[in-house]
Protein backbone atom coordinates (compact mmCIF):
# COMPACT_ATOMS: atom_id res chain seq x y z
CA UNK A 1 0.00 0.00 0.00
CA UNK A 2 2.90 2.35 0.71
CA UNK A 3 4.09 1.94 -2.90
CA UNK A 4 0.86 3.58 -4.06
CA UNK A 5 1.61 6.83 -2.22
CA UNK A 6 2.78 9.45 -4.73
CA UNK A 7 6.34 10.54 -4.07
CA UNK A 8 5.51 14.13 -5.03
CA UNK A 9 3.88 14.45 -1.62
CA UNK A 10 7.41 15.07 -0.28
CA UNK A 11 7.96 18.45 -2.04
CA UNK A 12 4.35 19.34 -1.18
CA UNK A 13 5.02 18.61 2.50
CA UNK A 14 8.34 20.50 2.50
CA UNK A 15 6.70 23.57 0.97
CA UNK A 16 3.85 23.41 3.50
CA UNK A 17 6.38 23.13 6.33
CA UNK A 18 8.06 26.24 4.93
CA UNK A 19 4.70 28.02 4.96
CA UNK A 20 4.37 27.10 8.65
CA UNK A 21 7.68 28.81 9.38
CA UNK A 22 10.26 26.04 9.09
CA UNK A 23 13.27 26.70 6.85
CA UNK A 24 12.83 30.44 7.41
CA UNK A 25 9.30 30.56 5.99
CA UNK A 26 8.54 30.93 2.29
CA UNK A 27 11.18 33.67 2.15
CA UNK A 28 13.66 31.01 3.21
CA UNK A 29 12.98 29.17 -0.05
CA UNK A 30 15.00 31.91 -1.76
CA UNK A 31 17.98 31.35 0.52
CA UNK A 32 21.09 30.14 -1.25
CA UNK A 33 22.03 26.51 -0.85
CA UNK A 34 25.18 26.53 -2.95
CA UNK A 35 27.04 28.58 -5.50
CA UNK A 36 29.71 27.63 -8.02
CA UNK A 37 32.17 29.74 -9.94
CA UNK A 38 31.88 28.90 -13.61
CA UNK A 39 34.74 28.90 -16.14
CA UNK A 40 33.17 31.96 -17.75
CA UNK A 41 33.71 33.89 -14.54
CA UNK A 42 30.01 33.98 -13.69
CA UNK A 43 28.69 32.64 -10.40
CA UNK A 44 25.88 30.09 -10.53
CA UNK A 45 23.75 29.99 -7.41
CA UNK A 46 21.05 27.54 -6.37
CA UNK A 47 18.38 28.44 -3.83
CA UNK A 48 16.46 26.07 -1.58
CA UNK A 49 13.37 26.53 -3.79
CA UNK A 50 15.38 25.62 -6.89
CA UNK A 51 16.65 22.52 -5.13
CA UNK A 52 13.07 21.62 -4.20
CA UNK A 53 12.08 21.82 -7.88
CA UNK A 54 15.03 19.63 -8.93
CA UNK A 55 14.06 17.03 -6.32
CA UNK A 56 10.45 17.15 -7.55
CA UNK A 57 11.62 16.54 -11.12
CA UNK A 58 13.65 13.52 -10.02
CA UNK A 59 10.61 12.20 -8.14
CA UNK A 60 8.50 12.79 -11.27
CA UNK A 61 10.85 10.49 -13.16
CA UNK A 62 10.35 7.77 -10.54
CA UNK A 63 6.57 8.32 -10.65
CA UNK A 64 6.56 7.84 -14.43
CA UNK A 65 8.49 4.61 -13.98
CA UNK A 66 5.91 3.51 -11.40
CA UNK A 67 3.16 4.23 -13.94
CA UNK A 68 4.32 1.37 -16.13
CA UNK A 69 2.97 -1.15 -13.62
CA UNK A 70 -0.45 -2.64 -14.10
CA UNK A 71 -2.94 -3.75 -11.50
CA UNK A 72 -4.93 -2.30 -8.65
CA UNK A 73 -1.88 -0.76 -6.97
CA UNK A 74 -1.21 1.32 -10.10
CA UNK A 75 -4.83 2.45 -10.15
CA UNK A 76 -4.58 3.54 -6.52
CA UNK A 77 -1.34 5.37 -7.32
CA UNK A 78 -3.06 7.31 -10.12
CA UNK A 79 -6.00 8.13 -7.91
CA UNK A 80 -3.77 9.43 -5.12
CA UNK A 81 -1.72 11.44 -7.64
CA UNK A 82 -4.94 13.09 -8.80
CA UNK A 83 -5.90 13.86 -5.20
CA UNK A 84 -2.46 15.38 -4.62
CA UNK A 85 -2.79 17.56 -7.73
CA UNK A 86 -6.22 18.76 -6.52
CA UNK A 87 -4.65 19.60 -3.14
CA UNK A 88 -1.92 21.56 -4.95
CA UNK A 89 -4.52 23.43 -7.02
CA UNK A 90 -6.80 24.26 -4.08
CA UNK A 91 -3.88 25.44 -1.99
CA UNK A 92 -2.51 27.53 -4.87
CA UNK A 93 -5.86 29.25 -5.35
CA UNK A 94 -6.86 29.72 -1.70
CA UNK A 95 -3.68 30.09 0.39
CA UNK A 96 -1.77 33.35 -0.08
CA UNK A 97 1.75 32.04 0.77
CA UNK A 98 1.28 29.29 -1.85
CA UNK A 99 0.87 31.81 -4.67
CA UNK A 100 4.54 31.71 -5.68
CA UNK A 101 6.43 30.61 -8.77
CA UNK A 102 8.00 27.70 -6.89
CA UNK A 103 4.64 26.34 -5.78
CA UNK A 104 3.19 26.84 -9.28
CA UNK A 105 6.05 24.83 -10.81
CA UNK A 106 5.56 22.08 -8.21
CA UNK A 107 1.83 22.06 -9.05
CA UNK A 108 2.67 21.79 -12.76
CA UNK A 109 5.00 18.86 -12.05
CA UNK A 110 2.14 17.20 -10.15
CA UNK A 111 -0.19 17.79 -13.12
CA UNK A 112 2.35 16.23 -15.49
CA UNK A 113 2.53 13.25 -13.12
CA UNK A 114 -1.23 12.77 -13.37
CA UNK A 115 -1.38 13.11 -17.16
CA UNK A 116 1.75 11.01 -17.78
CA UNK A 117 0.61 8.35 -15.34
CA UNK A 118 -2.73 7.86 -17.06
CA UNK A 119 -1.17 8.05 -20.54
CA UNK A 120 1.57 5.52 -19.79
CA UNK A 121 -0.89 3.18 -18.08
CA UNK A 122 -3.33 3.28 -20.98
CA UNK A 123 -0.52 2.71 -23.46
CA UNK A 124 0.96 -0.22 -21.53
CA UNK A 125 -2.49 -1.72 -20.87
CA UNK A 126 -3.23 -1.61 -24.60
CA UNK A 127 -0.13 -3.67 -25.26
CA UNK A 128 -0.94 -6.08 -22.42
CA UNK A 129 -4.21 -7.25 -23.98
CA UNK A 130 -4.03 -10.89 -24.94
CA UNK A 131 -6.46 -12.55 -27.27
CA UNK A 132 -7.42 -16.07 -26.30
CA UNK A 133 -6.98 -17.94 -29.56
Amino acid sequence: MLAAIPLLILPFAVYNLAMLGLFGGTAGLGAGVMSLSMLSGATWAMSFGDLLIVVALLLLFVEILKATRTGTRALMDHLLSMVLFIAFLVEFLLVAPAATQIFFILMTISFIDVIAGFSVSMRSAGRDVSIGL
Side-chain angles (χ1 to χ4, degrees), residues 78-98:
H78 297 320
L79 178 67
L80 292 175
S81 292
M82 178 65 84
V83 169
L84 180 63
F85 170 69
I86 291 169
F88 264 110
L89 184 61
V90 168
E91 191 166 324
F92 180 71
L93 294 173
L94 299 179
V95 179

Side-chain angles (χ1 to χ4, degrees), residues 55-108:
V55 168
L57 287 170
L58 292 173
L59 293 175
L60 174 65
F61 174 71
V62 175
E63 284 292 322
I64 290 174
L65 290 178
K66 283 173 43 179
T68 60
R69 300 177 306 191
T70 56
T72 57
R73 186 182 307 162
L75 183 62
M76 182 61 74
D77 186 31
H78 297 320
L79 178 67
L80 292 175
S81 292
M82 178 65 84
V83 169
L84 180 63
F85 170 69
I86 291 169
F88 264 110
L89 184 61
V90 168
E91 191 166 324
F92 180 71
L93 294 173
L94 299 179
V95 179
T100 64
Q101 294 87 349
I102 295 170
F103 195 81
F104 178 77
I105 293 170
L106 292 175
M107 181 180 67
T108 304

Side-chain angles (χ1 to χ4, degrees), residues 110-131:
S110 178
F111 177 70
I112 291 170
D113 174 34
V114 171
I115 298 301
F118 283 119
S119 300
V120 168
S121 291
M122 288 189 309
R123 187 77 170 169
S124 63
R127 291 183 181 174
D128 195 31
V129 175
S130 60
I131 302 172

